[in-house]
Each structure stands twice: as structure tokens, then as C-alpha cells.
Amino acid sequence: MHRLKQFTPLWSLQTLTDLPDRLRNIWQQLIGSYWFIPTACVVVGILLAPILVTIDEHFDRETVREITFAFTGDDDAARAIMTTIAGAVLGVAGTTFSITIAVLSMASSQFGPRLLRNFLTDTPNQFVLGAFIGTFSYSLLVLKAIHKYDVGFGVPQLAVTFAIIMAIICALLLVYFVQHMVHAIQASHVIQGASNEAIKNIHYWYKDRCDIEHQRDVKHHDVEQFHTWPATPIYPPCSGYLQQIYLESLITLTQDYGGVVHMNANLGDFVTDRNIIGYFYQRPADHSDNRHQTNTPNLAIVPRAPDGLFWQRFAGCIRIEQRLSHPNDIAYSLGQMTEIAVRALSPGINDPKTAVNCVQSLTACLSIMMRRQPPSPYHFYTSSPDHSTSNQSTSNQSTPKQLTSKQLTSNQLTSKQPAPDKTNSDNSNIESINNKPRVAILAVVTHTPKISDFIDASLGEIRRYATADLMVLKALCQALVDLNYAKVNNAQQQTLLHELTLIERAGQDNLSYQELVDDLSAMCQQAKQFILNKDAQHQYFAYVPKFDAHIRKVLQAQSR
């Protein structure tokens, strides 16, 4: 009973405010597993067989004979057909499984073992295998329903006809499976898949217009002052990779204990059970935000130090796994393309063209990130304007409701509730509260990587492995020029110039011939001049080598 009492608060309504995110994670894990879709197809086949057999028992046989493609044979023919279909689709299923294993082995050696997840979670591959196994299960159950002693109702004609149709579909799916796997092992297809996943994650985190008006009111929201409050280190419940932070549950936890949680660890970071991943800053006892109430009426928030229940609830606010795979992690998606490029530059593979394709795909993703507003690290808790009680004093607010920085707008920070009927004298206190602006309380501060961090972890990592490859170094130089078209501030411009300097230095130290060094240095210098040009975003950049410029001048002189 003691354990049950400890477990019950963890699944309260306050903790389950992130229920949609938790259910979405479970669904993504099911879809990402290799067994879920085939198992679903088997269940469909098992359920479909008795249904069609039952329909056959109540269906007019003369009507079935009028259907041109319907099966109208006896029980021996039906049994032979179902036996053939069951044996054939099971053999084809084994063949497709063998082909999949061979493709996974080839992909692991060429693209890296961490790219195997993209092949295992390939929905068409899973659906084809599921169709074969589901047809096999369906055929066995229909075969069981064929009775020799009852010729009139012993042959389920519609069920056998449906099995024949499914066998034809499985034959077409086999052709599609071979064609799909041929395209799946191509480097361009793998890179495009990783790029699409990265762009999807960028659209998830980076909005077209992320409202950060609440960050300007620094003094009111304690953005600068909370570091001076009493701090308690936060340790993860176990070792592994930090996969997700459930912000709504964490915001509710901070308000119940009257403080601010500052998370220093980022998504995808590996932590041990003794790493400090953040701090809990407890608000002072005389802080003005302590007047706000919790969901329990007439219960004011009293700041208190973390106890055992706090750590139990905090363990439910984060998700740590033993392997690194997160569908919404931008760094993980960009790291897949970086890994393909680094592996392509290894002496065993030596495929610089693939590395160049990775650089171009990374450039497209980083360009989108530079043009968008990054997510705010500050997440707030605000009072809900929908409910209020007549017995609250003027220092109390209505029932709280948590909001993250993605949901919090400037209108919500200054909005006022509609005043109640002034003729009612009992509501005078509520009216004075409703006329006050709603207050947003700082609750959680997360770590948000900068665009320079993503550039260094992607393009910078490729540069460190391509120091002796002129083709890839020039592609990196061109990528920085392309990113210059998307820059929105001077900090991004300085990041591009710094990366250009590192590319030029890498070429000077590692390229074999002086002509190659001069060629790369000339391109880097032209790129720097282009980036420093104030009107560069409205001009076209084209690198012209010195030899080509000399030939062009000679031709122009001869034409005169």
C-alpha cells in the first residue's frame, strides 16, 4: 500500500498534462518496430477469414456463380488452391526476409550501423512482409473451414475468391518490393530520406514566427534573477541518452514546489546517474509569485526543497533510453547525413561524390534553420482566466494553467478577463482580480543549441575528415556561400567567415600540391569578399579560378 500511494501521485492529472506527447512517443515506437505492421496484418487475416466464411454460409450460391472471376469449384479444388497459396506466400515471405537481411548488411557497411533504423522503420517494407504473412494466416484458416462431408455449404467460395485476389496482389507486391529495395540502397535515396526527416524536425521546433515578447520583460519574469536563488542539483534517474523532456509535466512540478528548473542537458546528450543535468532554483519566501494558487482551492504555493516525491515526479518528466534514436531530434537527423559523408570519405569507401551530396543536403537544412526563429529556452506558467471562486481574496488568482513559450503570446500576458455583473456585491473582489493583467511565471529554462553549434557539428565535422580532398573542401566553401543567402544577423555572418577560415587553413596544411592550395585559397577569399558584401544576398556568386580568368582576358583581348 505504501508503494501504491507513492505511485498514485505520479499519474495524477497534473502529471499527465503531456499525455498526447506520451501517446505519440508510444505510437512512434510501435511504428518504428519491425514487428508491429506485420503483426497487425496477421491479426487482420485471422479476423477476416471467419467473417468471410460466415458470409459464405448466408450468401446465395447462384449469385456467386454469376460473378465471372469468382471461384465455383468443389472442395478438392478449393483445398488445392488454398494449400498452394499458403505454401507460396510463405516461401516468398522467407525470400523477402532474406533480401532485407542482405540489404541491411550492405547498408551497415556502406552507410553506418546507425542508419539501419531507417531501413527497419521503412513502412513499405514492413507492409509487404505483413501482406505475405497475413495472406498465409488467412489461407490456413479458410483451408480449415473447407469440409468434405458438406458439399453444399462446405466450400466457402467468396473466401477462396478473396484468397486468389490476395495471391495476385502478393505477386505484384513482390515486384514492388524488389524495385523498392533497389532504390532504398542508393546513397542519394538514403541521404534524401535523412534530409526529409531533418526538415520535418526543423519545422517542428523552428516556427515561422515564434512569439518571444515575454522575454523582453526580464525583470518581471526573473530571467536574470533566478540564478541567485537557492539551487539544488538535478541528477537523472538512470544512465542513457536524454530523448525527451515533457515540459507541461515539468512546469506543473516546478509550480507545486515553487521554483524554476534549469535544464543544462540537451536532447540526445548521454548522461550517467551521477551527472548534473540541471538545477532546481527555489523561489525566495517573500517572492511575489508565491501568492498564486495551485489547483487545490485556497492553497497558496509555499516554496519547498525537493523531496522524494519531487525526484519520482521528475523521473516521469524526462525520458531516457539506452540507444540514441529520437524522431524530433534535429541533431540526430543532421548527424545521420554527417555520418554518411564521413564514412564516404574513409579510405575503404573513398566516395567523395556522396560526401558532396551530404554537404548539399545539410546546406538545405541549415538554410531553413537560419531563416526561422529558434525555439525559446524560457517556458512559463500562467493563470487560467476561465475559473474563479468568490471566496478568494484579492491576492489570489484563478485556477492555474501551464503554458510553454510556444503557446504564450503577448496578448495573453496583457489580456483581461471580462468583468462580472457589477450589480452583484459578492463578486466585487473577483471583479478587481479580473481587471488585472494575467501574470506569467518563469517555470522551466531549457538548453537551446545555436546555429553555430549545428554548423560545427555537421559541416565542421565533414571538414575535419576532408582535409585532403579538394572536391569536398570546395563544396563546403560553396555551402557557406549558399548559407549566406539565408543569414539574418551579424552573428551568423561571423560564423560563416570563421568556418571559411578553418576550411582554408585545412587545405593549406593537408593538400598535396601547391596548385590545389592556391585554388582553394582563391575560392575562400572570393567567398569571404562575397559574404562581407552588404548586397551579397541579391547577387550571384560564381567562383572563377585564376587560370580561367587569365584565359578569359586573353580571349577578350583577341576578340577586340
Side-chain angles (χ1 to χ4, degrees), residues 309-327:
L309 182 59
F310 175 89
W311 301 117
Q312 292 181 6
R313 292 179 59 180
F314 178 80
C317 296
I318 61 175
R319 185 164 64 93
I320 297 178
E321 295 184 358
Q322 300 302 318
R323 61 186 182 91
L324 181 60
S325 61
H326 193 277

mmCIF file with all atom_site columns, all heavy atoms in Angstrom, residues 309-327:
data_model
loop_
_atom_site.group_PDB
_atom_site.id
_atom_site.type_symbol
_atom_site.label_atom_id
_atom_site.label_alt_id
_atom_site.label_comp_id
_atom_site.label_asym_id
_atom_site.label_entity_id
_atom_site.label_seq_id
_atom_site.pdbx_PDB_ins_code
_atom_site.Cartn_x
_atom_site.Cartn_y
_atom_site.Cartn_z
_atom_site.occupancy
_atom_site.B_iso_or_equiv
_atom_site.pdbx_formal_charge
_atom_site.auth_seq_id
_atom_site.auth_comp_id
_atom_site.auth_asym_id
_atom_site.auth_atom_id
_atom_site.pdbx_PDB_model_num
ATOM 1   N N   . LEU A 1 309 ? 9.262  12.661 -3.335  1.00 0.00 ? 309 LEU A N   1
ATOM 2   C CA  . LEU A 1 309 ? 8.204  12.717 -4.338  1.00 0.00 ? 309 LEU A CA  1
ATOM 3   C C   . LEU A 1 309 ? 8.613  13.593 -5.520  1.00 0.00 ? 309 LEU A C   1
ATOM 4   O O   . LEU A 1 309 ? 8.244  13.310 -6.671  1.00 0.00 ? 309 LEU A O   1
ATOM 5   C CB  . LEU A 1 309 ? 6.917  13.250 -3.707  1.00 0.00 ? 309 LEU A CB  1
ATOM 6   C CG  . LEU A 1 309 ? 5.700  13.329 -4.627  1.00 0.00 ? 309 LEU A CG  1
ATOM 7   C CD1 . LEU A 1 309 ? 5.353  11.952 -5.177  1.00 0.00 ? 309 LEU A CD1 1
ATOM 8   C CD2 . LEU A 1 309 ? 4.509  13.938 -3.883  1.00 0.00 ? 309 LEU A CD2 1
ATOM 9   N N   . PHE A 1 310 ? 9.403  14.632 -5.242  1.00 0.00 ? 310 PHE A N   1
ATOM 10  C CA  . PHE A 1 310 ? 9.873  15.502 -6.335  1.00 0.00 ? 310 PHE A CA  1
ATOM 11  C C   . PHE A 1 310 ? 10.717 14.707 -7.318  1.00 0.00 ? 310 PHE A C   1
ATOM 12  O O   . PHE A 1 310 ? 10.544 14.824 -8.536  1.00 0.00 ? 310 PHE A O   1
ATOM 13  C CB  . PHE A 1 310 ? 10.685 16.656 -5.748  1.00 0.00 ? 310 PHE A CB  1
ATOM 14  C CG  . PHE A 1 310 ? 11.307 17.548 -6.785  1.00 0.00 ? 310 PHE A CG  1
ATOM 15  C CD1 . PHE A 1 310 ? 10.625 18.644 -7.279  1.00 0.00 ? 310 PHE A CD1 1
ATOM 16  C CD2 . PHE A 1 310 ? 12.593 17.294 -7.280  1.00 0.00 ? 310 PHE A CD2 1
ATOM 17  C CE1 . PHE A 1 310 ? 11.194 19.470 -8.236  1.00 0.00 ? 310 PHE A CE1 1
ATOM 18  C CE2 . PHE A 1 310 ? 13.166 18.109 -8.234  1.00 0.00 ? 310 PHE A CE2 1
ATOM 19  C CZ  . PHE A 1 310 ? 12.470 19.202 -8.708  1.00 0.00 ? 310 PHE A CZ  1
ATOM 20  N N   . TRP A 1 311 ? 11.629 13.871 -6.810  1.00 0.00 ? 311 TRP A N   1
ATOM 21  C CA  . TRP A 1 311 ? 12.507 13.113 -7.706  1.00 0.00 ? 311 TRP A CA  1
ATOM 22  C C   . TRP A 1 311 ? 11.731 12.043 -8.451  1.00 0.00 ? 311 TRP A C   1
ATOM 23  O O   . TRP A 1 311 ? 12.039 11.740 -9.608  1.00 0.00 ? 311 TRP A O   1
ATOM 24  C CB  . TRP A 1 311 ? 13.650 12.491 -6.909  1.00 0.00 ? 311 TRP A CB  1
ATOM 25  C CG  . TRP A 1 311 ? 14.476 13.508 -6.193  1.00 0.00 ? 311 TRP A CG  1
ATOM 26  C CD1 . TRP A 1 311 ? 14.648 13.640 -4.851  1.00 0.00 ? 311 TRP A CD1 1
ATOM 27  C CD2 . TRP A 1 311 ? 15.250 14.562 -6.792  1.00 0.00 ? 311 TRP A CD2 1
ATOM 28  N NE1 . TRP A 1 311 ? 15.461 14.707 -4.561  1.00 0.00 ? 311 TRP A NE1 1
ATOM 29  C CE2 . TRP A 1 311 ? 15.851 15.290 -5.735  1.00 0.00 ? 311 TRP A CE2 1
ATOM 30  C CE3 . TRP A 1 311 ? 15.483 14.966 -8.099  1.00 0.00 ? 311 TRP A CE3 1
ATOM 31  C CZ2 . TRP A 1 311 ? 16.667 16.386 -5.958  1.00 0.00 ? 311 TRP A CZ2 1
ATOM 32  C CZ3 . TRP A 1 311 ? 16.305 16.057 -8.324  1.00 0.00 ? 311 TRP A CZ3 1
ATOM 33  C CH2 . TRP A 1 311 ? 16.883 16.754 -7.264  1.00 0.00 ? 311 TRP A CH2 1
ATOM 34  N N   . GLN A 1 312 ? 10.717 11.464 -7.807  1.00 0.00 ? 312 GLN A N   1
ATOM 35  C CA  . GLN A 1 312 ? 9.884  10.491 -8.510  1.00 0.00 ? 312 GLN A CA  1
ATOM 36  C C   . GLN A 1 312 ? 9.106  11.152 -9.647  1.00 0.00 ? 312 GLN A C   1
ATOM 37  O O   . GLN A 1 312 ? 9.017  10.607 -10.755 1.00 0.00 ? 312 GLN A O   1
ATOM 38  C CB  . GLN A 1 312 ? 8.928  9.818  -7.527  1.00 0.00 ? 312 GLN A CB  1
ATOM 39  C CG  . GLN A 1 312 ? 9.610  8.914  -6.522  1.00 0.00 ? 312 GLN A CG  1
ATOM 40  C CD  . GLN A 1 312 ? 8.610  8.253  -5.586  1.00 0.00 ? 312 GLN A CD  1
ATOM 41  O OE1 . GLN A 1 312 ? 7.403  8.381  -5.758  1.00 0.00 ? 312 GLN A OE1 1
ATOM 42  N NE2 . GLN A 1 312 ? 9.121  7.551  -4.577  1.00 0.00 ? 312 GLN A NE2 1
ATOM 43  N N   . ARG A 1 313 ? 8.540  12.307 -9.388  1.00 0.00 ? 313 ARG A N   1
ATOM 44  C CA  . ARG A 1 313 ? 7.807  13.006 -10.435 1.00 0.00 ? 313 ARG A CA  1
ATOM 45  C C   . ARG A 1 313 ? 8.734  13.534 -11.520 1.00 0.00 ? 313 ARG A C   1
ATOM 46  O O   . ARG A 1 313 ? 8.369  13.556 -12.702 1.00 0.00 ? 313 ARG A O   1
ATOM 47  C CB  . ARG A 1 313 ? 6.997  14.151 -9.823  1.00 0.00 ? 313 ARG A CB  1
ATOM 48  C CG  . ARG A 1 313 ? 5.861  13.702 -8.937  1.00 0.00 ? 313 ARG A CG  1
ATOM 49  C CD  . ARG A 1 313 ? 5.112  14.871 -8.346  1.00 0.00 ? 313 ARG A CD  1
ATOM 50  N NE  . ARG A 1 313 ? 4.550  15.743 -9.379  1.00 0.00 ? 313 ARG A NE  1
ATOM 51  C CZ  . ARG A 1 313 ? 3.847  16.847 -9.120  1.00 0.00 ? 313 ARG A CZ  1
ATOM 52  N NH1 . ARG A 1 313 ? 3.633  17.213 -7.866  1.00 0.00 ? 313 ARG A NH1 1
ATOM 53  N NH2 . ARG A 1 313 ? 3.380  17.579 -10.107 1.00 0.00 ? 313 ARG A NH2 1
ATOM 54  N N   . PHE A 1 314 ? 9.933  13.953 -11.145 1.00 0.00 ? 314 PHE A N   1
ATOM 55  C CA  . PHE A 1 314 ? 10.884 14.430 -12.151 1.00 0.00 ? 314 PHE A CA  1
ATOM 56  C C   . PHE A 1 314 ? 11.302 13.292 -13.079 1.00 0.00 ? 314 PHE A C   1
ATOM 57  O O   . PHE A 1 314 ? 11.509 13.509 -14.281 1.00 0.00 ? 314 PHE A O   1
ATOM 58  C CB  . PHE A 1 314 ? 12.109 15.033 -11.468 1.00 0.00 ? 314 PHE A CB  1
ATOM 59  C CG  . PHE A 1 314 ? 13.156 15.508 -12.437 1.00 0.00 ? 314 PHE A CG  1
ATOM 60  C CD1 . PHE A 1 314 ? 13.039 16.731 -13.076 1.00 0.00 ? 314 PHE A CD1 1
ATOM 61  C CD2 . PHE A 1 314 ? 14.264 14.719 -12.746 1.00 0.00 ? 314 PHE A CD2 1
ATOM 62  C CE1 . PHE A 1 314 ? 13.989 17.168 -13.987 1.00 0.00 ? 314 PHE A CE1 1
ATOM 63  C CE2 . PHE A 1 314 ? 15.219 15.139 -13.648 1.00 0.00 ? 314 PHE A CE2 1
ATOM 64  C CZ  . PHE A 1 314 ? 15.075 16.382 -14.265 1.00 0.00 ? 314 PHE A CZ  1
ATOM 65  N N   . ALA A 1 315 ? 11.433 12.077 -12.538 1.00 0.00 ? 315 ALA A N   1
ATOM 66  C CA  . ALA A 1 315 ? 11.783 10.941 -13.395 1.00 0.00 ? 315 ALA A CA  1
ATOM 67  C C   . ALA A 1 315 ? 10.716 10.687 -14.439 1.00 0.00 ? 315 ALA A C   1
ATOM 68  O O   . ALA A 1 315 ? 11.013 10.183 -15.534 1.00 0.00 ? 315 ALA A O   1
ATOM 69  C CB  . ALA A 1 315 ? 11.998 9.683  -12.531 1.00 0.00 ? 315 ALA A CB  1
ATOM 70  N N   . GLY A 1 316 ? 9.462  11.048 -14.149 1.00 0.00 ? 316 GLY A N   1
ATOM 71  C CA  . GLY A 1 316 ? 8.404  10.909 -15.132 1.00 0.00 ? 316 GLY A CA  1
ATOM 72  C C   . GLY A 1 316 ? 8.324  12.061 -16.107 1.00 0.00 ? 316 GLY A C   1
ATOM 73  O O   . GLY A 1 316 ? 7.585  11.978 -17.093 1.00 0.00 ? 316 GLY A O   1
ATOM 74  N N   . CYS A 1 317 ? 9.063  13.141 -15.849 1.00 0.00 ? 317 CYS A N   1
ATOM 75  C CA  . CYS A 1 317 ? 9.060  14.314 -16.734 1.00 0.00 ? 317 CYS A CA  1
ATOM 76  C C   . CYS A 1 317 ? 10.098 14.217 -17.845 1.00 0.00 ? 317 CYS A C   1
ATOM 77  O O   . CYS A 1 317 ? 10.100 15.067 -18.736 1.00 0.00 ? 317 CYS A O   1
ATOM 78  C CB  . CYS A 1 317 ? 9.290  15.586 -15.931 1.00 0.00 ? 317 CYS A CB  1
ATOM 79  S SG  . CYS A 1 317 ? 7.981  15.964 -14.744 1.00 0.00 ? 317 CYS A SG  1
ATOM 80  N N   . ILE A 1 318 ? 10.999 13.256 -17.778 1.00 0.00 ? 318 ILE A N   1
ATOM 81  C CA  . ILE A 1 318 ? 12.005 13.079 -18.822 1.00 0.00 ? 318 ILE A CA  1
ATOM 82  C C   . ILE A 1 318 ? 11.978 11.621 -19.268 1.00 0.00 ? 318 ILE A C   1
ATOM 83  O O   . ILE A 1 318 ? 11.482 10.747 -18.548 1.00 0.00 ? 318 ILE A O   1
ATOM 84  C CB  . ILE A 1 318 ? 13.420 13.481 -18.342 1.00 0.00 ? 318 ILE A CB  1
ATOM 85  C CG1 . ILE A 1 318 ? 13.848 12.599 -17.158 1.00 0.00 ? 318 ILE A CG1 1
ATOM 86  C CG2 . ILE A 1 318 ? 13.474 14.947 -17.967 1.00 0.00 ? 318 ILE A CG2 1
ATOM 87  C CD1 . ILE A 1 318 ? 15.277 12.862 -16.700 1.00 0.00 ? 318 ILE A CD1 1
ATOM 88  N N   . ARG A 1 319 ? 12.520 11.396 -20.451 1.00 0.00 ? 319 ARG A N   1
ATOM 89  C CA  . ARG A 1 319 ? 12.596 10.033 -20.989 1.00 0.00 ? 319 ARG A CA  1
ATOM 90  C C   . ARG A 1 319 ? 14.027 9.745  -21.388 1.00 0.00 ? 319 ARG A C   1
ATOM 91  O O   . ARG A 1 319 ? 14.602 10.459 -22.223 1.00 0.00 ? 319 ARG A O   1
ATOM 92  C CB  . ARG A 1 319 ? 11.667 9.865  -22.188 1.00 0.00 ? 319 ARG A CB  1
ATOM 93  C CG  . ARG A 1 319 ? 11.606 8.438  -22.719 1.00 0.00 ? 319 ARG A CG  1
ATOM 94  C CD  . ARG A 1 319 ? 10.398 8.245  -23.624 1.00 0.00 ? 319 ARG A CD  1
ATOM 95  N NE  . ARG A 1 319 ? 10.498 9.065  -24.812 1.00 0.00 ? 319 ARG A NE  1
ATOM 96  C CZ  . ARG A 1 319 ? 11.011 8.667  -25.968 1.00 0.00 ? 319 ARG A CZ  1
ATOM 97  N NH1 . ARG A 1 319 ? 11.493 7.434  -26.071 1.00 0.00 ? 319 ARG A NH1 1
ATOM 98  N NH2 . ARG A 1 319 ? 11.046 9.465  -27.013 1.00 0.00 ? 319 ARG A NH2 1
ATOM 99  N N   . ILE A 1 320 ? 14.610 8.725  -20.793 1.00 0.00 ? 320 ILE A N   1
ATOM 100 C CA  . ILE A 1 320 ? 15.993 8.328  -21.041 1.00 0.00 ? 320 ILE A CA  1
ATOM 101 C C   . ILE A 1 320 ? 15.980 6.907  -21.578 1.00 0.00 ? 320 ILE A C   1
ATOM 102 O O   . ILE A 1 320 ? 15.344 6.016  -20.990 1.00 0.00 ? 320 ILE A O   1
ATOM 103 C CB  . ILE A 1 320 ? 16.847 8.426  -19.763 1.00 0.00 ? 320 ILE A CB  1
ATOM 104 C CG1 . ILE A 1 320 ? 16.920 9.886  -19.293 1.00 0.00 ? 320 ILE A CG1 1
ATOM 105 C CG2 . ILE A 1 320 ? 18.240 7.880  -20.006 1.00 0.00 ? 320 ILE A CG2 1
ATOM 106 C CD1 . ILE A 1 320 ? 17.705 10.081 -18.027 1.00 0.00 ? 320 ILE A CD1 1
ATOM 107 N N   . GLU A 1 321 ? 16.669 6.688  -22.679 1.00 0.00 ? 321 GLU A N   1
ATOM 108 C CA  . GLU A 1 321 ? 16.759 5.370  -23.291 1.00 0.00 ? 321 GLU A CA  1
ATOM 109 C C   . GLU A 1 321 ? 18.220 4.988  -23.469 1.00 0.00 ? 321 GLU A C   1
ATOM 110 O O   . GLU A 1 321 ? 19.107 5.839  -23.438 1.00 0.00 ? 321 GLU A O   1
ATOM 111 C CB  . GLU A 1 321 ? 16.039 5.342  -24.640 1.00 0.00 ? 321 GLU A CB  1
ATOM 112 C CG  . GLU A 1 321 ? 14.529 5.548  -24.532 1.00 0.00 ? 321 GLU A CG  1
ATOM 113 C CD  . GLU A 1 321 ? 13.837 5.410  -25.870 1.00 0.00 ? 321 GLU A CD  1
ATOM 114 O OE1 . GLU A 1 321 ? 14.546 5.194  -26.882 1.00 0.00 ? 321 GLU A OE1 1
ATOM 115 O OE2 . GLU A 1 321 ? 12.591 5.528  -25.916 1.00 0.00 ? 321 GLU A OE2 1
ATOM 116 N N   . GLN A 1 322 ? 18.444 3.702  -23.694 1.00 0.00 ? 322 GLN A N   1
ATOM 117 C CA  . GLN A 1 322 ? 19.803 3.185  -23.804 1.00 0.00 ? 322 GLN A CA  1
ATOM 118 C C   . GLN A 1 322 ? 20.378 3.352  -25.201 1.00 0.00 ? 322 GLN A C   1
ATOM 119 O O   . GLN A 1 322 ? 21.585 3.194  -25.390 1.00 0.00 ? 322 GLN A O   1
ATOM 120 C CB  . GLN A 1 322 ? 19.832 1.704  -23.421 1.00 0.00 ? 322 GLN A CB  1
ATOM 121 C CG  . GLN A 1 322 ? 19.369 1.450  -22.000 1.00 0.00 ? 322 GLN A CG  1
ATOM 122 C CD  . GLN A 1 322 ? 20.197 2.207  -20.966 1.00 0.00 ? 322 GLN A CD  1
ATOM 123 O OE1 . GLN A 1 322 ? 21.422 2.271  -21.066 1.00 0.00 ? 322 GLN A OE1 1
ATOM 124 N NE2 . GLN A 1 322 ? 19.529 2.798  -19.993 1.00 0.00 ? 322 GLN A NE2 1
ATOM 125 N N   . ARG A 1 323 ? 19.549 3.658  -26.189 1.00 0.00 ? 323 ARG A N   1
ATOM 126 C CA  . ARG A 1 323 ? 20.054 3.880  -27.545 1.00 0.00 ? 323 ARG A CA  1
ATOM 127 C C   . ARG A 1 323 ? 19.585 5.234  -28.032 1.00 0.00 ? 323 ARG A C   1
ATOM 128 O O   . ARG A 1 323 ? 18.526 5.724  -27.648 1.00 0.00 ? 323 ARG A O   1
ATOM 129 C CB  . ARG A 1 323 ? 19.580 2.781  -28.494 1.00 0.00 ? 323 ARG A CB  1
ATOM 130 C CG  . ARG A 1 323 ? 18.083 2.670  -28.651 1.00 0.00 ? 323 ARG A CG  1
ATOM 131 C CD  . ARG A 1 323 ? 17.694 1.474  -29.481 1.00 0.00 ? 323 ARG A CD  1
ATOM 132 N NE  . ARG A 1 323 ? 16.253 1.380  -29.672 1.00 0.00 ? 323 ARG A NE  1
ATOM 133 C CZ  . ARG A 1 323 ? 15.601 1.916  -30.688 1.00 0.00 ? 323 ARG A CZ  1
ATOM 134 N NH1 . ARG A 1 323 ? 16.286 2.604  -31.605 1.00 0.00 ? 323 ARG A NH1 1
ATOM 135 N NH2 . ARG A 1 323 ? 14.301 1.787  -30.815 1.00 0.00 ? 323 ARG A NH2 1
ATOM 136 N N   . LEU A 1 324 ? 20.385 5.828  -28.895 1.00 0.00 ? 324 LEU A N   1
ATOM 137 C CA  . LEU A 1 324 ? 20.115 7.181  -29.373 1.00 0.00 ? 324 LEU A CA  1
ATOM 138 C C   . LEU A 1 324 ? 19.241 7.109  -30.613 1.00 0.00 ? 324 LEU A C   1
ATOM 139 O O   . LEU A 1 324 ? 19.702 6.757  -31.704 1.00 0.00 ? 324 LEU A O   1
ATOM 140 C CB  . LEU A 1 324 ? 21.431 7.900  -29.693 1.00 0.00 ? 324 LEU A CB  1
ATOM 141 C CG  . LEU A 1 324 ? 21.318 9.354  -30.182 1.00 0.00 ? 324 LEU A CG  1
ATOM 142 C CD1 . LEU A 1 324 ? 20.642 10.203 -29.119 1.00 0.00 ? 324 LEU A CD1 1
ATOM 143 C CD2 . LEU A 1 324 ? 22.692 9.908  -30.510 1.00 0.00 ? 324 LEU A CD2 1
ATOM 144 N N   . SER A 1 325 ? 17.976 7.415  -30.456 1.00 0.00 ? 325 SER A N   1
ATOM 145 C CA  . SER A 1 325 ? 17.053 7.469  -31.592 1.00 0.00 ? 325 SER A CA  1
ATOM 146 C C   . SER A 1 325 ? 15.850 8.276  -31.167 1.00 0.00 ? 325 SER A C   1
ATOM 147 O O   . SER A 1 325 ? 15.045 7.827  -30.364 1.00 0.00 ? 325 SER A O   1
ATOM 148 C CB  . SER A 1 325 ? 16.626 6.062  -32.028 1.00 0.00 ? 325 SER A CB  1
ATOM 149 O OG  . SER A 1 325 ? 15.962 5.406  -30.975 1.00 0.00 ? 325 SER A OG  1
ATOM 150 N N   . HIS A 1 326 ? 15.748 9.481  -31.687 1.00 0.00 ? 326 HIS A N   1
ATOM 151 C CA  . HIS A 1 326 ? 14.627 10.344 -31.353 1.00 0.00 ? 326 HIS A CA  1
ATOM 152 C C   . HIS A 1 326 ? 14.092 10.965 -32.623 1.00 0.00 ? 326 HIS A C   1
ATOM 153 O O   . HIS A 1 326 ? 14.840 11.597 -33.365 1.00 0.00 ? 326 HIS A O   1
ATOM 154 C CB  . HIS A 1 326 ? 15.045 11.438 -30.371 1.00 0.00 ? 326 HIS A CB  1
ATOM 155 C CG  . HIS A 1 326 ? 13.885 12.148 -29.753 1.00 0.00 ? 326 HIS A CG  1
ATOM 156 N ND1 . HIS A 1 326 ? 13.230 13.192 -30.376 1.00 0.00 ? 326 HIS A ND1 1
ATOM 157 C CD2 . HIS A 1 326 ? 13.234 11.963 -28.586 1.00 0.00 ? 326 HIS A CD2 1
ATOM 158 C CE1 . HIS A 1 326 ? 12.249 13.619 -29.609 1.00 0.00 ? 326 HIS A CE1 1
ATOM 159 N NE2 . HIS A 1 326 ? 12.230 12.895 -28.513 1.00 0.00 ? 326 HIS A NE2 1
ATOM 160 N N   . PRO A 1 327 ? 12.793 10.822 -32.884 1.00 0.00 ? 327 PRO A N   1
ATOM 161 C CA  . PRO A 1 327 ? 12.263 11.330 -34.144 1.00 0.00 ? 327 PRO A CA  1
ATOM 162 C C   . PRO A 1 327 ? 12.225 12.839 -34.244 1.00 0.00 ? 327 PRO A C   1
ATOM 163 O O   . PRO A 1 327 ? 12.162 13.375 -35.353 1.00 0.00 ? 327 PRO A O   1
ATOM 164 C CB  . PRO A 1 327 ? 10.841 10.738 -34.177 1.00 0.00 ? 327 PRO A CB  1
ATOM 165 C CG  . PRO A 1 327 ? 10.496 10.483 -32.748 1.00 0.00 ? 327 PRO A CG  1
ATOM 166 C CD  . PRO A 1 327 ? 11.792 10.115 -32.083 1.00 0.00 ? 327 PRO A CD  1
#
